[in-house]
Amino acid sequence: ILPHEGLSVKFDFNELHYDREHVEQISQSLFYLVEQVLENENSRIEDLVLIAAQEDLVRHKNYWLNLFSGVLPILDFPLDNVRPLVKTNKTNRITKGLGKELSESFYMLVKEEGATLFMGLLSAVNILLYKYTGQEDIVVGSPVTGREHVGSEDQIDFYVNTLALRNSFSDSDNYKEVLKKVKQTTIAALEHQSFPFDKLLELLELKPDSSRNHLFEVAMLLESADGKSDAEQHFFSKIDLAFAFKKTEEGIDLSIEYSKDLFHKETIVR
C-alpha cells in the first residue's frame, strides 16, 4: 500500500518481474496523472498524456545530462594490440557456465540485498573492470527494449534503446556496498530509459572518435529465455568487450564477446 497526500493505493505485483522500487515508480506516474486530471478537468485523455509525456521528456533529459556532466571517464582497459584508428566489427566469443551451486548462492545473496539478478551481475562486472583498470568511475552500456514512447503501441517491433550505466565507488567498498550503489543507479536509469541514447550523444557534443564507441567500451546484458535479439546482437558487435549472462536450469551461463582487433582469446579466458 503506497500513500500519497491522503490517497492510498494497493498494488499487487509479481516479485519475479518487479521489485518495490519499480512499483513505486509506477505509482508516482499514476499519482502524477491524477494531479493532471484535477488541474485540467476538461482536457481530453490524449492531451493529458501528451502533457505528461512532454514534461517527462524534459525530466529525463535533465537526468542524463546531469549524470554525464563534467569530465567523462574513458576506460583504460589493458589491450593485447594497439587500438586501430578505425573500429571494426570483428568479434569472437567464449562461453562459460558458472555452475548450479555457485549460481544459487549468488541468487540468494542478491535477493537478500533487495536487488535483481541484473544488478548483482552488473556489480560483479564493475568490480572486474576496477580490478584490471584501477578506475573508480566506470560506465557500462546495456541495451533495453520496450514501447516507452507515446504512439509506439501499434508498432510490431520493440524499440531498442541504450542505457549508459555510470557507477562510482571506492577501493574500500565491499561487494554489498557496490551492489547498493549499482542498484540505485540502475533504478534511476530505468526510470529515465525513454530518453533516446542517440539524442543524449548529440546534446553532449562529444569529440568524434572513429576508434571506439561513444561513452562506454564495455556492455552487459541479461538475456531473455529466447537469447539475444538481432538488435541486441548488432549492439554487441560494436563494443570492445561485452558480457551476456543467461539464467538456465543449470545456473548462470556467461558469454563474453570481444574485439579480435584488441584482445587475444587467452586474455579473455583468464
Side-chain angles (χ1 to χ4, degrees):
I1 298 178
L2 302 174
H4 178 80
E5 298 181 0
L7 174 66
S8 295
V9 178
K10 181 179 179 181
F11 286 87
D12 292 321
F13 58 96
N14 188 327
E15 291 185 345
L16 291 176
H17 298 99
Y18 301 95
D19 57 22
R20 183 175 177 82
E21 286 80 5
H22 288 121
V23 174
E24 287 177 344
Q25 291 169 14
I26 295 172
S27 72
Q28 290 171 4
S29 297
L30 174 60
F31 289 134
Y32 178 77
L33 188 57
V34 170
E35 290 173 355
Q36 291 297 313
V37 170
L38 294 176
E39 294 175 4
N40 305 275
E41 295 180 3
N42 299 320
S43 296
R44 297 177 302 172
I45 292 178
E46 64 175 327
D47 293 332
L48 292 175
V49 172
L50 183 59
I51 291 172
Q54 291 172 338
E55 294 185 0
D56 275 349
L57 185 63
V58 174
R59 183 169 59 90
H60 297 327
K61 179 186 73 172
N62 291 339
Y63 166 80
W64 290 109
L65 289 179
N66 181 64
L67 182 65
F68 287 99
S69 61
V71 179
L72 300 180
I74 298 177
L75 193 68
D76 188 21
F77 199 93
L79 308 177
D80 295 318
N81 304 315
V82 176
R83 182 182 292 275
L85 294 178
V86 178
K87 182 174 177 55
T88 73
N89 293 338
K90 299 175 183 177
T91 62
N92 203 353
R93 181 187 304 124
I94 68 166
T95 58
K96 181 178 179 62
L98 302 187
K100 191 169 186 176
E101 185 176 346
L102 179 60
S103 297
E104 290 294 341
S105 298
F106 188 72
Y107 297 151
M108 291 188 64
L109 171 62
V110 171
K111 186 175 182 180
E112 287 172 357
E113 296 302 312
T116 63
L117 179 58
F118 176 88
M119 297 170 188
L121 293 170
L122 179 59
S123 299
V125 169
N126 272 276
I127 292 173
L128 177 70
L129 296 176
Y130 168 77
K131 174 184 176 182
Y132 280 95
T133 67
Q135 294 174 240
E136 299 177 351
D137 186 4
I138 295 175
V139 183
V140 176
S142 185
V144 290
T145 57
R147 294 191 178 97
E148 286 289 321
H149 301 282
V150 175
S152 66
E153 295 82 0
D154 295 329
Q155 300 295 323
I156 295 175
D157 295 328
F158 282 95
Y159 287 87
V160 176
N161 196 21
T162 300
L163 296 184
L165 301 163
R166 185 177 187 179
N167 287 284
S168 300
F169 45 87
S170 67
D171 57 1
S172 61
D173 288 340
N174 58 37
Y175 175 79
K176 290 185 178 180
E177 290 170 328
V178 173
L179 176 58
K180 182 178 180 180
K181 295 176 181 179
V182 168
K183 176 183 175 181
Q184 295 172 343
T185 301
T186 305
I187 290 172
L190 289 172
E191 180 183 353
H192 300 284
Q193 66 175 295
S194 61
F195 192 78
F197 180 70
D198 290 345
K199 185 62 177 178
L200 172 62
L201 295 180
E202 290 180 15
L203 294 173
L204 291 176
E205 298 182 338
L206 300 176
K207 182 179 179 181
D209 187 346
S210 59
S211 70
R212 62 174 70 235
N213 194 54
H214 295 296
L215 279 189
F216 56 85
E217 296 82 31
V218 176
M220 196 205 98
L221 169 69
L222 181 58
E223 294 183 24
S224 66
D226 297 328
K228 289 193 291 290
S229 67
D230 291 341
E232 290 168 340
Q233 183 57 53
H234 176 69
F235 169 83
F236 265 33
S237 69
K238 301 184 294 182
I239 307 299
D240 292 352
L241 191 61
F243 299 82
F245 297 92
K246 187 174 183 179
K247 186 177 181 181
T248 71
E249 293 182 358
E250 300 303 318
I252 300 172
D253 286 345
L254 167 62
S255 172
I256 302 179
E257 191 159 330
Y258 61 95
S259 169
K260 293 170 64 176
D261 291 330
L262 305 178
F263 301 104
H264 297 158
K265 182 177 180 179
E266 296 76 15
T267 300
I268 303 302
V269 170
R270 288 200 305 270

